[in-house]
Amino acid sequence: MWYSFLFTVGQFLLRIVNGPMNVMHKNRLPKGNYVLIAPHRSWFDMILIATVIRPKQLCFMAKKELFKNPMLGWFLRHVNVFSVDRANPGISAIKIPVKALRKTNLSLMMFPSGTRHSKKLKGGAALIAQLAGVPLVPVVYQGPLTLKEVFKRQKVSINFGDPIYISKAEKLDNKNQKLVEKQMQTAFDQLDNEVNPNYVYVDESKPHNKKTSK
């Protein structure tokens, strides 16, 4: 109930403040559950992506430190966020999302790079998708990176890609993991190109190195 209410309100407010979003190829989303993967570009990109796939609901992973605040922790739990110890992730970081994908109607949203300030992809998303028997679905966000840019009504574009299927018979050793990571990065690049061939992500945390390649 809280998830639907909060994301409905959020979508309404964002439409008023920023205008309608350009949503591309939503028809590429498969039926059933999936792991939605994206390059992490702003602290609110996951919110915008979650609003456009409604009524489908997502679950999310977040660092455990965010749950130390009682009010924030309550809020996060009510929008399907579970905590992960990034320093010592443990088996629960895999078991919890796999169980959600298998036993509920929730899909999972993940950023393979982990943070907004990294371009290196990691293997957790592929392993979770394989164990749960669901596809990876790439998506890219192009638009405002700060709230200030949101209020300037900078155009938001969200583009969904074709599912990436990983066979349960395939051993995700280092070689095959690298191949999946290459598939993910190629998909992100293609989706960015479909929206805007000249797009370059600018990491606001690096004032002396503004140009960050896709």
Side-chain angles (χ1 to χ4, degrees):
M1 182 183 73
W2 279 105
Y3 184 103
S4 297
F5 173 75
L6 292 170
F7 278 97
T8 298
V9 172
Q11 187 175 30
F12 175 74
L13 293 175
L14 285 165
R15 187 178 180 89
I16 291 175
V17 172
N18 192 255
M21 289 184 279
N22 174 34
V23 181
M24 301 172 61
H25 304 119
K26 189 178 175 182
N27 61 302
R28 291 173 174 169
L29 289 171
K31 293 181 180 180
N33 285 342
Y34 44 82
V35 178
L36 204 57
I37 52 171
H40 202 359
R41 291 172 175 166
S42 93
W43 63 267
F44 50 78
D45 49 8
M46 68 179 72
I47 300 172
L48 295 175
I49 293 169
T51 63
V52 303
I53 68 167
R54 290 179 58 252
K56 181 65 176 176
Q57 292 192 17
L58 296 170
C59 58
F60 311 88
M61 306 169 75
K63 59 184 180 181
K64 69 174 186 178
E65 289 79 7
L66 294 176
F67 290 79
K68 290 181 178 179
N69 181 301
M71 290 187 64
L72 179 58
W74 179 92
F75 173 81
L76 292 174
R77 291 185 187 93
H78 282 77
V79 289
N80 305 331
V81 181
F82 60 91
S83 66
V84 173
D85 185 346
R86 286 185 177 177
N88 300 285
I91 193 65
S92 63
I94 300 295
K95 289 179 68 175
I96 293 174
V98 168
K99 183 178 180 180
L101 289 164
R102 284 179 172 176
K103 304 293 185 180
T104 74
N105 292 322
L106 299 175
S107 286
L108 174 68
M109 175 96 197
M110 289 188 71
F111 299 105
S113 61
T115 72
R116 287 173 285 152
H117 317 305
S118 173
K119 293 188 292 177
K120 184 178 180 181
L121 301 185
K122 301 173 184 177
L127 179 59
I128 290 169
Q130 185 189 51
L131 292 175
V134 300
L136 296 166
V137 179
V139 57
V140 298
Y141 163 89
Q142 292 184 18
L145 303 179
T146 65
L147 278 180
K148 183 178 180 180
E149 292 175 348
V150 170
F151 283 95
K152 288 182 178 180
R153 297 179 73 85
Q154 187 178 122
K155 186 70 174 179
V156 171
S157 293
I158 294 173
N159 190 15
F160 295 94
D162 292 315
I164 299 171
Y165 292 90
I166 304 172
S167 171
K168 284 194 172 183
E170 181 178 320
K171 184 179 179 181
L172 275 180
D173 54 17
N174 187 60
K175 178 182 177 181
N176 286 330
Q177 180 60 50
K178 293 295 183 185
L179 291 174
V180 175
E181 290 171 7
K182 185 176 181 180
Q183 276 185 282
M184 290 193 290
Q185 188 59 60
T186 298
F188 294 152
D189 291 342
Q190 289 175 346
L191 293 173
D192 274 329
N193 189 65
E194 287 177 359
V195 179
N196 177 7
N198 299 314
Y199 176 78
V200 176
Y201 169 58
V202 178
D203 187 343
E204 297 293 332
S205 73
K206 300 176 181 177
H208 301 298
N209 185 24
K210 284 288 187 180
K211 295 297 181 181
T212 303
S213 61
K214 294 184 289 184

